């Protein structure tokens, strides 16, 4: 009997030790699941570009997809804006630089699924490839969209040549690849002319017809 009692005591001791070991090695606290926060856009922007009648038509739409009405605070009467960059990433033009707008702050309520539409007509781009970014000027939301812009049927062309000299107040002569060519000057080009030096390489935007070539403006960096 003493031997059996001793064996039972030893067995109970071993089982107790195994249980203690498991508690020591295991995690005493459950794993916490971090809550994932999903950020959903309140507005969905889209853009369409179309070249027609020697101009580029930009149709910019912003749709409220938040599921509720949203307020937009506009710092001026200008609801949307655009910036155009050339292939080298240089800014060519910005809409807000060329238009007048009021200084009054305007609040606009956009209902769920309602669209804001802005249309721009651009007629002074020369043939080439650009990128355009269009965005809201609201305090709460820009809804920016960026796309490539191709101009193929413009009346304007980018050119370059060496300035030979001024013929008269309204015309100059350029050396373009060894050929001397006379150009008429539009008012903006006339205003820029004093900043150019004879014998220097210059870039410019020009138009032409059967009679003459006319420089609209010089591209001065």
């Amino acid at each position: 009997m003493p031997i059996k009692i001793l064996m039972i005591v030893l067995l109970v001791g071993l089982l107790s030790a195994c249980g203690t070991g498991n508690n020591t090695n295991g995690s005493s606290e459950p794993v916490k699941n971090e809550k994932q926060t999903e950020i959903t856009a309140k507005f969905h922007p889209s853009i369409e570009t179309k070249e027609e009648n020697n101009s580029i038509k930009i149709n910019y739409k912003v749709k409220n997809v938040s599921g509720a009405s949203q307020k937009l605070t506009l710092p001026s009467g200008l609801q949307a804006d655009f910036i155009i960059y050339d292939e080298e990433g240089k800014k060519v033009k910005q809409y807000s630089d060329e238009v007048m707008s009021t200084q009054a702050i305007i609040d606009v309520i956009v209902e769920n699924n309602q669209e804001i539409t802005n249309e721009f007509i651009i007629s002074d781009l020369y043939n080439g490839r650009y990128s355009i970014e269009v965005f809201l000027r609201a305090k709460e939301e820009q809804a920016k969209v960026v796309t490539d812009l191709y101009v193929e049927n413009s009346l304007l062309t980018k050119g370059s040549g060496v300035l030979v000299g001024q013929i008269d107040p309204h015309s100059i002569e350029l050396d373009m690849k060894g050929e001397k060519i006379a150009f008429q000057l539009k008012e903006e080009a006339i205003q820029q002319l004093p900043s150019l030096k004879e014998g220097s390489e210059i870039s410019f935007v020009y138009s032409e017809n059967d009679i003459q070539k006319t420089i609209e403006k010089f591209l001065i960096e």
Side-chain angles (χ1 to χ4, degrees):
M1 290 295 295
I3 296 176
K4 286 185 178 182
I5 294 173
L6 180 60
M7 292 179 64
I8 292 172
V9 172
L10 288 174
L11 181 59
V12 172
L14 288 172
L15 290 175
S16 299
C18 289
T20 303
N22 286 339
N23 287 335
T24 303
N25 295 333
S27 175
S28 60
E29 296 183 3
V31 177
K32 295 181 180 180
N33 294 323
E34 294 184 1
K35 184 178 180 181
Q36 299 295 325
T37 302
E38 183 179 355
I39 301 176
T40 304
K42 295 180 180 179
F43 292 90
H44 174 70
S46 62
I47 185 173
E48 294 179 354
T49 63
K50 184 178 181 182
E51 186 172 13
E52 58 181 22
N53 300 324
N54 302 313
S55 299
I56 303 294
K57 179 185 289 187
I58 308 295
N59 191 9
Y60 170 64
K61 296 180 180 180
V62 178
K63 185 176 182 179
N64 179 2
V65 294
S66 68
S69 60
Q70 299 291 332
K71 185 183 80 169
L72 296 178
T73 305
L74 304 172
S76 68
L78 194 61
Q79 191 176 82
D81 200 356
F82 69 74
I83 304 176
I84 296 178
Y85 301 91
D86 63 17
E87 287 187 289
E88 298 176 353
K90 296 178 181 178
K91 177 180 169 181
V92 175
K93 66 182 297 154
Q94 182 166 353
Y95 182 64
S96 57
D97 291 341
E98 302 173 354
V99 297
M100 298 293 293
S101 60
T102 63
Q103 298 300 314
I105 297 176
I106 302 173
D107 289 336
V108 177
I109 302 298
V110 186
E111 301 297 335
N112 183 46
N113 289 325
Q114 181 182 352
E115 279 189 341
I116 301 173
T117 301
N118 286 266
E119 185 177 277
F120 307 97
I121 303 296
I122 308 171
S123 58
D124 58 350
L125 290 178
Y126 53 85
N127 289 315
R129 178 179 177 179
Y130 306 84
S131 66
I132 180 172
E133 61 179 42
V134 192
F135 51 93
L136 292 178
R137 290 175 58 86
K139 175 183 177 181
E140 298 83 358
E141 177 69 44
Q142 275 199 317
K144 182 184 294 185
V145 59
V146 181
T147 188
D148 290 331
L149 185 63
Y150 300 91
V151 181
E152 299 175 335
N153 301 308
S154 174
L155 297 176
L156 303 176
T157 304
K158 180 180 178 181
S160 62
V162 176
L163 177 60
V164 176
Q166 188 169 358
I167 300 173
D168 57 45
H170 301 282
S171 61
I172 61 173
E173 186 177 55
L174 295 175
D175 185 336
M176 300 182 69
K177 298 180 179 180
E179 180 181 2
K180 301 293 194 304
I181 302 176
F183 283 84
Q184 294 293 309
L185 301 177
K186 282 290 186 68
E187 187 61 33
E188 183 177 354
I190 292 174
Q191 298 298 323
Q192 294 174 304
L193 188 59
S195 64
L196 304 177
K197 296 181 180 180
E198 292 185 4
S200 62
E201 180 83 19
I202 58 176
S203 296
F204 51 91
V205 177
Y206 72 98
S207 60
E208 64 178 311
N209 53 35
D210 296 336
I211 301 174
Q212 64 185 22
K213 300 179 188 291
T214 303
I215 294 178
E216 306 286 329
K217 63 180 179 180
F218 295 102
L219 300 176
I220 300 175
E221 296 183 1

